[in-house]
Structure formats: structure tokens, C-alpha cells
Amino acid sequence: MYVSGLLLLGLVVSAQCFCFTDKVYTDVSKYGSVTKYCMYKGLKMQVGSHIKTADCIECTCHDTSLSCCGFGINAGVVAPPPGCKVVADGCKMLLVKVDDDTKDCLSGDSLVKP
């Protein structure tokens, strides 16, 4: 049973990754100090910093660029197996039955907590 579940999982997830990059900004103070930073949705990030956002995006500010990738439900496009669909539980991605989104796609077990 365990092995067949693993084999089925190999067929389940067909995904395309969602990532993007952006430039690094530079400010020079009136005294000549240079500060490099990245911007994500109005948030200034210091070079070397790393954030995870509530909209399921993970970003790292490097010396040369900002790199961000979606995670969980924002990881990319997922093609679930027939009879199943993808739903979000926060950033977590769940595979549920098309005709009953309270049931796990693979096991048929209830996902609703009592």
C-alpha cells in the first residue's frame, strides 16, 4: 500500500515553478555613504536579507539582484490527477477530490478537523 501511494504521488505533481528577479537599488547619502537594497511590494530589504510573505512568496536580496519564488500554493501551476483538484489552506497546497473538497485526493480520508 505504501509503495503504491509513492508511485501514485510520482504521477500526481506536474508543476511549473514560479520565480522572478529584480534589480538592486543604490542610495548615496549626502555624506557619500552607499547603501544597496532590494524592493518587494514597497518593502525595502537589506542585501543579505530573506523574507517569506503572507502571499506565499519567498525572497532573498543578493548583492546583485532580488530573487523571489512562490512556495506552497504559489509554487506554480500544478496538474492534479483526474478526479482531483488543488485548493489552498493558507500557503499549503492540498489535493482534494473534485466532487468533495473535504476528502484527500489520494486516500479519500477527511481533511476536516473535528
Side-chain angles (χ1 to χ4, degrees):
M1 179 69 126
Y2 178 74
V3 173
S4 64
L6 286 176
L7 291 174
L8 185 57
L9 274 176
L11 300 174
V12 169
V13 181
S14 170
Q16 296 175 350
C17 187
F18 165 66
C19 294
F20 60 92
T21 60
D22 201 358
K23 64 183 180 179
V24 173
Y25 297 86
T26 303
D27 280 345
V28 180
S29 76
K30 67 180 182 179
Y31 305 106
S33 296
V34 177
T35 304
K36 286 184 166 185
Y37 63 93
C38 301
M39 291 285 293
Y40 177 73
K41 290 192 173 183
L43 176 67
K44 262 185 170 179
M45 299 172 57
Q46 288 184 323
V47 170
S49 63
H50 176 91
I51 62 167
K52 278 188 167 182
T53 67
D55 56 348
C56 311
I57 304 291
E58 186 170 18
C59 296
T60 302
C61 181
H62 304 281
D63 192 42
T64 57
S65 68
L66 171 69
S67 61
C68 299
C69 288
F71 67 92
I73 197 65
N74 270 347
V77 178
V78 174
C84 300
K85 67 180 179 178
V86 176
V87 296
D89 182 19
C91 287
K92 186 177 177 182
M93 182 185 311
L94 299 175
L95 288 172
V96 298
K97 295 197 173 280
V98 169
D99 58 351
D100 185 352
D101 67 1
T102 67
K103 305 251 184 200
D104 180 77
C105 176
L106 301 176
S107 69
D109 294 340
S110 176
L111 295 170
V112 178
K113 303 292 182 205

